[in-house]
Amino acid sequence: MADSAENGVVSEETPALSKKALKKQQKEAEKAAKKAARKKEGEEDGAAESEADCSEGCYGDFPLIQSKEKVARKLYKLNELTPALKDQKIWVRARLQTSRSKGKQCFFVLRQQKWTVQALICVGDKVSKQMVKFTAGINKESIIDVEAFVRVVDQKVESCSQQDVELHAEQVWVVSSASPRLPLLVEDAARPETAEGFATVHQDTRLDNRIIDIRTTTNQAIFRLEAGVVKLFREFLDQKNFVDVNTPKIISAASEGGANVFKVTYFKGEAFLAQSPQLYKQMCICGDFEKVYTIGAVFRAEDSNTHRHLTEFVGLDLEMAFNYHYHEVVDLIAEMFVYIFKGLRDRYQEEIQTINKQYPAEPFKFLEPSLRLEFREAVQMLREVGVEMADTEDLSTPNEKLLGKLVKAKYDTDFYILDKFPLAVRPFYTMPDPEDNKWSNSYDFFMRGEEIMSGAQRVHDPDMLTARAKEHGIKLDTIQAYIDSFRYGAPPHAGGGIGLERVTMLYLGLDNVRKTSLFPRDPKRLTP
Amino acid sequence: MGSAASLCRNHVIDAVRSLCQDLNYKPSGEQKVDTGHSADGVGQLCKGEKEVEEEWEFVIAGPSGDISQTEVEATQNSDLLADIEQRQQAILSRLNELKETLNQLAGRHGMSVQSSSTCLAPPIVRCTPTSVAESTVHIETVLGKGIVDIVMHADPNQPPLSLFVLYEIMKSKYQVLATSYVHSSVISVDKKLTTAFQNASASRRSQNQLALSFIWKKVDKDPELVVSPGQHIPIQGEANIARYLNRVMDPDFDNRDIVTATQVDEWLDIAQLQLIHGNSKERAAAVRSLNSRLGRNDWLVGSSLSLADIVTWSAVHQAQQADSAPANVKKWLKACAKDPNFKLAESLLP
């Protein structure tokens, strides 16, 4: 009986899985499940006639955990499995990533977050044929408890994160079974996009089934690193005595112009979703907080389907009063970025390497102190290579990219600051340059040739602000509250904001901001 | 000057250029012909023609002499000769026409065309490769408008000391903004290095004439210099960077005394190839030749401190030959160290 049921086992891993193959596999998996069920019935009926199962009670479906009892059993984390535990019998709970049975033995790979380990079960004194078959038939992505001996291997297991050990299982219990039909295989989703002849998963399929997609070691690492960015951002600013504030997201008027703002109904009237916490940051400065930062969702109703635009993203914003020169703020922000980059380089090396396996990228290069060029130098550099542009023309996206390449070639850095933008291309609240109001006290920060932060010294004088708004043709009544907030004495201040997803994407050299957004929102995607 | 005049002049320049192409002649003073935008320019243009004529005659003299010796292919050659003669005539007449047009133009706009003998440029051979000349000129012209950032990538474990000396000298000529950066490829850099090369003040970046930037990082072999990545590949090696910086400060360096310039080059090569990159044998040999030169003279080239001394001084220290150096070299090292421009570099010695 054992032999005939052998075919029912989930088919051997084939490298290339087209959609058809995938479906076929799923069908086979279903068949296997049915067969397994039938087999079970058969077992119950004819337990006497089949050979005695010596592993009875060592495998099967674990009863639903309903918090009935507290089991004093240590479950090891996969990353704890090192040669130090050699020949010890331990318990682990992990997902079954893949399994492959071969006669009397079955190899399977267990995965836990970003760690994987190879396990093996083979027929022996304590393991019956039925048990091996059962193990081989467990649906992929199921959560299982395994009791096993840790064995040191002679040859490194290249495909797993724990390369020096493997597990020899003696008990296998299914804690939570996955559906036999998987919309995508984690193994496929974790493959480098360049892998030829192997199945990869399309971005939309990933995003539609995000919970399975984010199980890949790569995604586990990406979002841990992203959390690291936030952590380092906080760490640095806390050290500098910034106050962490929260600002409202439902606002009565559009904060930056009115074009790309989401309108929502607000009881009988209407309201808008905040495009940036700018106004509130500035109000905090006027309210004597001196230095503030805020981390929260920012909404942009921009109908652009590009690799770097989201309609909702996490904004890391800061605003700071300064004494005499806005460079006090620019230098602090630059220092903050260096702190973040160094922190990522030194504390998240494991994550970076995991991510690079699937998405190879040049390591992120930066200078300390950060490179700060003036806008006109950038124009000069672009002109040298034949770009025709006016002194006070804004950087187009291709020019921005080109400039990034030139700066990289000259200074070997992926991060730099461009200072002193033309006044004409900045918002009305930007402070003009004191000597020549063709220019302004404003700056952009760039990573890998893409803008990540735009900031400036803000006009803190209500009369000047009124005049600037008029020059921009802005109706004064729409921004009266903003102007009025500077009427009771306002310290000179400057600030800026970054998009978390974009910074993470560019730090890692990824090609799409959706890769660094857990559940991305764009003009075409509102679920999951 | 009216635009019509400049148009006409452009026409003349084009004509001369096409003539030159006809003759397969590449004028060494191409730039001079190009920049005919002033009265002087017209004069130079005139000289350009003269040169063309002379060169042309020289070219003709060669082959015709050969022909007279080999009369075997006389018929063929005489055809060829006639052809050439015809072309020469045509060209000469066109040149004359041009000359006349030029004179007319000059008369109409009230300019005098200088006689060719007075406007002949210094006839000395230019040993400068044109690319270097162009780039210094480029910096000169840009110096007036905005800031030029000269970026040097160097290994913090082997700082190119001579560049610190040149920086000190440069500071006396230009308003220089010096910045040191630590690249993410190195974890830490001796503070001495970064503070030594740092003079950022409250003034704005664009108020400086020139920016010098050191990027301390892991470099493959030699320090590198980049000014305009779109236009040239990095300049490699301390000696070459020193050559470049020296010409930024002194664009006429190659035009004065070519013997001195060549001698300087020789020492720079010794410093770069034998001292910095040489094995122990080559290093010892270099120090020996230094010693013998310095037995007879106080300085390596000429009678005062030069670029050769600066770079060689740096190389001797980097090759760890300073402590064991023979007497003459030691004396010379001390003499260098006394120069105020060496103070900064001296402070970086271990």
Side-chain angles (χ1 to χ4, degrees):
Chain A
M1 186 190 74
D3 287 330
S4 65
E6 200 69 58
N7 326 334
V9 157
V10 174
S11 68
E12 274 210 11
E13 264 324 279
T14 42
L17 285 178
S18 64
K19 270 192 179 170
K20 265 188 189 169
L22 207 69
K23 268 187 192 163
K24 205 172 164 191
Q25 202 190 30
Q26 281 161 4
K27 267 187 189 166
E28 270 174 35
E30 274 176 320
K31 249 196 224 165
K34 273 183 199 164
K35 241 178 195 174
R38 234 183 292 140
K39 189 194 106 191
K40 235 183 189 174
E41 282 165 30
E43 251 170 8
E44 274 161 30
D45 292 347
E49 46 191 90
S50 74
E51 54 193 287
D53 187 353
C54 60
S55 324
E56 193 85 59
C58 286
Y59 67 97
D61 288 326
F62 201 78
L64 180 71
I65 297 178
Q66 229 174 345
S67 306
K68 195 172 150 197
E69 52 183 340
K70 292 180 179 172
V71 180
R73 173 190 290 166
K74 176 173 165 72
L75 291 174
Y76 279 80
K77 289 281 167 197
L78 293 193
N79 60 324
E80 295 173 309
L81 304 183
T82 57
L85 288 175
K86 189 181 172 189
D87 299 332
Q88 287 189 40
K89 204 177 195 182
I90 52 113
W91 277 95
V92 293
R93 175 172 298 172
R95 277 189 198 278
L96 177 78
Q97 176 157 292
T98 56
S99 62
R100 185 157 51 92
S101 82
K102 221 187 204 175
K104 288 185 172 178
Q105 55 184 3
C106 172
F107 282 96
F108 52 106
V109 173
L110 294 176
R111 188 190 72 239
Q112 199 173 62
Q113 297 166 348
K114 58 184 178 179
W115 301 288
T116 49
V117 68
Q118 178 170 275
L120 168 69
I121 188 165
C122 48
V123 176
D125 294 346
K126 292 185 179 167
V127 177
S128 65
K129 271 185 188 174
Q130 291 93 322
M131 182 176 173
V132 174
K133 212 162 28 175
F134 170 81
T135 308
I138 300 172
N139 294 331
K140 285 172 194 174
E141 290 303 302
S142 298
I143 297 173
I144 57 175
D145 275 3
V146 176
E147 189 190 34
F149 280 104
V150 179
R151 304 283 189 213
V152 175
V153 289
D154 305 332
Q155 232 176 2
K156 282 198 169 193
V157 186
E158 294 291 344
S159 56
C160 292
S161 73
Q162 308 311 111
Q163 304 200 328
D164 302 316
V165 293
E166 64 178 13
L167 297 177
H168 290 201
E170 296 209 330
Q171 288 202 49
V172 177
W173 294 94
V174 176
V175 176
S176 171
S177 179
S179 150
R181 289 181 64 100
L182 290 174
L184 59 95
L185 289 181
V186 173
E187 213 189 358
D188 293 342
R191 234 170 237 137
E193 278 160 355
T194 48
E196 267 179 54
F198 289 92
T200 53
V201 184
H202 192 263
Q203 174 123 311
D204 278 331
T205 316
R206 287 173 187 277
L207 296 180
D208 289 340
N209 305 283
R210 195 62 160 157
I211 46 146
I212 300 178
D213 180 44
I214 56 180
R215 285 178 190 172
T216 63
T217 53
T218 309
N219 278 333
Q220 289 287 320
I222 287 178
F223 292 103
R224 277 176 170 73
L225 184 127
E226 190 162 84
V229 175
V230 178
K231 184 184 152 97
L232 291 161
F233 177 84
R234 272 182 203 281
E235 249 178 43
F236 179 83
L237 295 177
D238 288 344
Q239 279 168 24
K240 299 282 174 186
N241 296 323
F242 274 70
V243 184
D244 181 0
V245 297
N246 290 295
T247 61
K249 305 293 172 238
I250 306 175
I251 55 173
S252 63
S255 39
E256 270 179 44
N260 39 31
V261 59
F262 285 111
K263 208 186 271 182
V264 292
T265 55
Y266 194 70
F267 303 109
K268 280 174 186 160
E270 60 184 26
F272 303 95
L273 295 182
Q275 279 172 303
S276 109
Q278 165 118 14
L279 173 56
Y280 295 93
K281 282 192 302 180
Q282 289 190 261
M283 281 159 74
C284 288
I285 298 299
C286 294
D288 284 352
F289 278 101
E290 203 171 304
K291 300 164 174 179
V292 294
Y293 70 85
T294 175
I295 299 172
V298 175
F299 305 90
R300 300 274 163 92
E302 285 174 90
D303 195 4
S304 34
N305 293 287
T306 72
H307 75 283
R308 60 173 182 164
H309 283 95
L310 292 173
T311 50
E312 178 185 343
F313 61 89
V314 179
L316 310 179
D317 281 83
L318 65 96
E319 198 75 24
M320 173 184 153
F322 63 81
N323 296 331
Y324 295 105
H325 200 291
Y326 75 102
H327 278 176
E328 294 163 34
V329 182
V330 180
D331 289 342
L332 180 129
I333 300 175
E335 213 185 306
M336 176 193 83
F337 273 109
V338 170
Y339 183 86
I340 293 175
F341 298 149
K342 275 187 161 178
L344 293 176
R345 178 190 70 185
D346 300 338
R347 295 191 222 165
Y348 290 84
Q349 202 46 243
E350 194 186 336
E351 279 80 4
I352 294 171
Q353 273 165 16
T354 307
I355 298 162
N356 280 346
K357 266 187 217 157
Q358 184 171 5
Y359 305 119
E362 286 250 308
F364 188 82
K365 292 175 176 174
F366 56 92
L367 299 177
E368 189 184 5
S370 299
L371 176 66
R372 192 172 69 218
L373 300 171
E374 288 192 8
F375 187 82
R376 61 192 103 179
E377 279 176 80
V379 174
Q380 191 76 40
M381 285 177 86
L382 286 170
R383 282 186 185 152
E384 270 174 25
V385 293
V387 173
E388 283 178 25
M389 65 183 286
D391 281 343
T392 56
E393 194 179 322
D394 204 1
L395 288 175
S396 64
T397 309
N399 282 350
E400 201 176 287
K401 279 252 166 196
L402 178 60
L403 182 65
K405 275 189 193 147
L406 292 173
V407 169
K408 178 94 187 261
K410 186 164 175 177
Y411 297 92
D412 199 22
T413 176
D414 290 308
F415 176 71
Y416 69 99
I417 305 159
L418 216 50
D419 193 17
K420 293 270 162 215
F421 271 69
L423 184 61
V425 303
R426 306 299 272 205
F428 74 96
Y429 49 72
T430 308
M431 182 66 87
D433 182 274
E435 277 148 32
D436 182 354
N437 66 8
K438 199 165 94 177
W439 309 105
S440 64
N441 294 346
S442 60
Y443 42 83
D444 273 7
F445 287 61
F446 294 85
M447 282 172 73
R448 297 202 203 246
E450 288 189 34
E451 182 245 307
I452 48 149
M453 177 192 260
S454 208
Q457 175 182 353
R458 331 285 187 189
V459 178
H460 59 282
D461 178 80
D463 299 332
M464 189 179 199
L465 198 56
T466 312
R468 293 281 306 131
K470 276 184 190 158
E471 280 172 40
H472 274 252
I474 295 169
K475 281 183 196 153
L476 288 181
D477 54 321
T478 59
I479 54 161
Q480 202 52 53
Y482 180 68
I483 294 174
D484 286 345
S485 55
F486 301 107
R487 289 208 189 277
Y488 312 104
H493 60 286
I498 55 175
L500 175 63
E501 292 85 349
R502 207 184 270 191
V503 167
T504 313
M505 162 182 85
L506 292 169
Y507 180 81
L508 292 169
L510 300 176
D511 59 353
N512 198 312
V513 73
R514 288 161 188 80
K515 287 196 168 100
T516 54
S517 175
L518 261 182
F519 299 103
R521 291 286 173 269
D522 64 34
K524 289 181 180 153
R525 180 174 292 279
L526 209 47
T527 49
Chain B
M1 174 176 297
S3 61
S6 66
L7 258 178
C8 288
R9 209 178 36 241
N10 285 344
H11 179 75
V12 174
I13 292 166
D14 282 345
V16 170
R17 202 175 273 151
S18 71
L19 271 179
C20 295
Q21 273 163 7
D22 277 0
L23 296 167
N24 258 343
Y25 170 72
K26 253 208 161 161
S28 62
E30 171 117 0
Q31 274 175 317
K32 290 172 215 144
V33 180
D34 267 347
T35 53
H37 286 287
S38 64
D40 280 352
V42 178
Q44 280 169 348
L45 175 62
C46 180
K47 179 215 75 188
E49 283 170 48
K50 183 82 183 171
E51 275 179 2
V52 173
E53 261 180 276
E54 284 165 2
E55 187 80 16
W56 169 231
E57 274 161 14
F58 173 76
V59 170
I60 288 302
S64 59
D66 283 348
I67 288 161
S68 65
Q69 282 171 1
T70 56
E71 281 182 60
V72 193
E73 294 162 318
T75 35
Q76 269 189 349
N77 282 345
S78 68
D79 278 353
L80 195 71
L81 199 61
D83 189 27
I84 289 173
E85 260 170 8
Q86 223 171 1
R87 276 172 61 196
Q88 186 192 22
Q89 281 307 318
I91 288 164
L92 282 175
S93 67
R94 270 174 73 192
L95 269 174
N96 277 332
E97 275 169 39
L98 280 171
K99 230 178 213 170
E100 258 188 47
T101 324
L102 188 68
N103 280 332
Q104 277 171 6
L105 276 170
R108 203 185 306 158
H109 294 283
M111 292 184 303
S112 64
V113 178
Q114 288 165 327
S115 73
S116 31
S117 60
T118 53
C119 71
L120 265 176
I124 302 164
V125 191
R126 287 169 66 100
C127 60
T128 332
T130 43
S131 63
V132 172
E134 271 164 20
S135 52
T136 50
V137 166
H138 172 72
I139 281 172
E140 290 285 82
T141 51
V142 178
L143 273 181
K145 279 195 289 175
I147 186 167
V148 172
D149 198 350
I150 297 175
V151 180
M152 294 165 288
H153 300 258
D155 191 332
N157 295 323
Q158 199 168 22
L161 296 166
S162 65
L163 306 183
F164 286 87
V165 182
L166 289 168
Y167 157 60
E168 288 288 319
I169 300 171
M170 203 172 257
K171 272 203 295 193
S172 61
K173 290 199 86 163
Y174 301 121
Q175 192 161 348
V176 184
L177 171 74
T179 325
S180 282
Y181 301 99
V182 178
H183 192 260
S184 54
S185 60
V186 293
I187 301 296
S188 73
V189 167
D190 189 355
K191 270 255 156 31
K192 268 202 303 190
L193 269 185
T194 49
T195 48
F197 200 78
Q198 192 81 269
N199 70 353
S201 58
S203 73
R204 34 198 301 186
R205 192 176 158 86
S206 55
Q207 277 164 353
N208 297 283
Q209 288 172 292
L210 193 71
L212 282 181
S213 304
F214 257 118
I215 293 174
W216 299 109
K217 68 167 196 180
K218 279 184 191 154
V219 287
D220 287 342
K221 189 178 169 207
D222 278 319
E224 285 186 354
L225 175 139
V226 188
V227 178
S228 175
Q231 292 176 337
H232 68 80
I233 56 164
I235 291 167
Q236 290 178 327
E238 181 177 342
N240 287 332
I241 297 175
R243 282 183 173 107
Y244 180 90
L245 294 181
N246 184 51
R247 284 165 175 82
V248 168
M249 288 187 283
D250 182 8
D252 284 335
F253 178 76
D254 298 291
N255 290 347
R256 279 193 306 270
D257 180 355
I258 55 169
V259 175
T260 310
T262 312
Q263 282 173 341
V264 169
D265 271 339
E266 194 181 346
W267 282 111
L268 294 191
D269 284 346
I270 290 174
Q272 176 77 29
L273 302 172
Q274 293 192 35
L275 283 167
I276 296 178
H277 286 308
N279 55 29
S280 55
K281 242 184 188 174
E282 289 167 322
R283 283 178 175 173
V287 173
R288 271 200 304 278
S289 52
L290 261 179
N291 200 46
S292 79
R293 161 76 196 179
L294 293 167
R296 285 167 278 132
N297 305 73
D298 289 342
W299 304 103
L300 291 180
V301 176
S303 56
S304 60
L305 185 114
S306 72
L307 183 67
D309 298 295
I310 298 171
V311 176
T312 314
W313 173 86
S314 164
V316 168
H317 278 291
Q318 286 178 66
Q320 324 248 308
Q321 302 292 317
D323 294 335
S324 58
N328 297 332
V329 177
K330 271 215 165 113
K331 196 184 80 196
W332 164 79
L333 286 173
K334 266 187 197 149
C336 287
K338 267 189 200 145
D339 188 292
N341 290 326
F342 278 69
K343 213 177 145 194
L344 182 66
E346 276 279 331
S347 74
L348 298 173
L349 290 175

